[in-house]
Amino acid sequence: MTDHPRIPLAGVIGSPVAHSRSPLLHAYWLRRYRLKGHYIPMDIAQADLRDALQMLPKLGFVGANVTIPHKESVLALADIVTDRAALIGAANTLIFRKDGKIFADNTDGSGFIANLRQEAPHWIPARGPAAVFGAGGAARAIVAALIEVGVPEIRISNRTRSRAEALRADFGAKLVVMDWTQVPAMLDGAATIVNTTSLGMSGKHDLILPLDLLDPAALVTDLVYTPLHTGFLQQAEEAGCTVVDGLGMLLHQAAPGFERWFGVRPEVDADTRAAVLLAE
Ligand code: NAP
């Protein structure tokens, strides 16, 4: 390590990473707050992950975001893992500390909740059960976050039922595993409805639910943000529900890392959304 001041570097580690909007987002915040720093996409193969994590701090990196396929494997390479990252079994934010230690956290769940609180300020998590579709990597963070904010029951359904059952084994009795065919029972009285599957992404089928079963008082949100307004959200909107798209979660989960690396807590607002959407 050199002892003269260095421009802080951060980036996103994954494979592939070319599609990631994080470089665009962090570059926007760096410009907006007139901060010195750079944020770059780094396509790193699984076999090179350990070496890369050792080398990056020496090159001036103060931290990194982590995306597919490294979110789980970085846990074993970090020195300090937050309780929530350990519970979720994955990290999305790394901090390379001055003492040489790697600190790993997961901000997906807090980003998800921050987005709902910002876009739907009247949302009351404890008002009723949540219905969660999907049990992949992102669903783990969502389930942990919903439990933390006091949702009384989480009904979860996944195409591959065993993955939903694995979540129940990890997160406990608040989770009720239901079959993909039990949609009416899942939606009955649900106050919060979440699509965590990749259905609805550009090029994939939509997640379609029976319209008449949606409670207009329910909050409906989708993790998919390409397209921004998915068929699932469109359908929920037509049923009179409050809907929240997934872009805000992406922006909010990025804010804690930016603050730790570059020293300013960034705003997530309409300008931030526009900066990321402009690239479309
Ligand atoms: P993942 O681990 O690969 O899980 C994919 C999920 O989608 C699984 O539950 C899978 O079910 C389900 N699925 C895929 N194709 C399906 C189909 N044809 N029919 C029914 N279910 C299907 O992915 P992930 O990391 O959880 O991400 C899920 C989605 O969330 C992605 O679209 C991702 O872009 C988005 N996401 C958004 C944010 C954000 O900040 N907004 C953050 C993280 C993720 P099986 O288990 O049966 O395969």
Side-chain angles (χ1 to χ4, degrees), residues 1-279:
M1 277 278 210
T2 54
D3 52 9
H4 50 80
R6 296 173 109 182
I7 294 178
L9 305 176
V12 52
I13 298 170
S15 191
V17 282
H19 66 284
S20 171
R21 292 186 188 213
S22 297
L24 202 66
L25 170 62
H26 289 270
Y28 166 73
W29 279 334
L30 285 166
R31 275 197 315 278
R32 174 167 168 171
Y33 297 106
R34 298 173 193 278
L35 296 169
K36 282 199 162 64
H38 298 283
Y39 183 102
I40 39 188
M42 293 175 278
D43 195 325
I44 293 173
Q46 189 75 45
D48 297 327
L49 186 61
R50 179 184 293 272
D51 289 347
L53 290 182
Q54 276 174 7
M55 186 53 76
L56 286 171
K58 296 179 189 160
L59 298 174
F61 279 80
V62 290
N65 286 125
V66 187
T67 188
I68 290 168
H70 303 317
K71 282 181 142 183
E72 289 85 17
S73 32
V74 289
L75 288 187
L77 301 171
D79 301 292
I80 302 156
V81 175
T82 61
D83 288 347
R84 61 184 176 180
L87 181 67
I88 294 164
N92 69 344
T93 305
L94 301 179
I95 292 153
F96 303 143
R97 298 191 346 178
K98 289 208 173 83
D99 62 4
K101 294 201 173 354
I102 299 178
F103 173 92
D105 194 8
N106 193 315
T107 62
D108 275 339
S110 57
F112 170 76
I113 298 295
N115 184 37
L116 295 188
R117 295 220 188 273
Q118 184 171 43
E119 299 296 323
H122 302 299
W123 175 59
I124 301 168
R127 195 176 68 76
V132 174
F133 294 90
R140 295 186 72 85
I142 301 311
V143 164
L146 289 173
I147 291 174
E148 201 179 313
V149 295
V151 168
E153 175 184 294
I154 300 172
R155 301 162 182 172
I156 185 159
S157 181
N158 194 48
R159 179 179 59 177
T160 312
R161 187 181 164 107
S162 57
R163 283 183 100 182
E165 275 163 358
L167 254 79
R168 188 180 186 283
D170 288 347
F171 288 96
K174 274 197 175 177
L175 263 72
V176 180
V177 177
M178 295 186 142
D179 276 329
W180 198 244
T181 50
Q182 283 179 288
V183 172
M186 274 187 81
L187 296 182
D188 187 23
T192 310
I193 299 158
V194 192
N195 176 32
T196 78
T197 75
S198 46
L199 287 175
M201 276 174 87
S202 310
K204 284 208 172 204
H205 297 296
D206 280 328
L207 173 65
I208 300 291
L209 303 179
L211 259 183
D212 50 323
L213 297 175
L214 289 172
D215 175 0
L219 171 76
V220 180
T221 186
D222 202 327
L223 264 55
V224 171
Y225 55 85
T226 46
L228 206 51
H229 209 61
T230 58
F232 172 60
L233 291 185
Q234 176 70 37
Q235 207 193 1
E237 200 166 58
E238 283 163 13
C241 301
T242 302
V243 302
V244 178
D245 68 57
L247 183 64
M249 172 179 166
L250 179 80
L251 308 179
H252 281 285
Q253 62 79 30
F258 185 91
E259 182 177 17
R260 292 292 292 266
W261 307 323
F262 301 117
V264 171
R265 179 74 179 195
E267 281 274 331
V268 174
D269 57 11
D271 289 345
T272 313
R273 281 176 70 90
V276 174
L277 288 173
L278 272 180

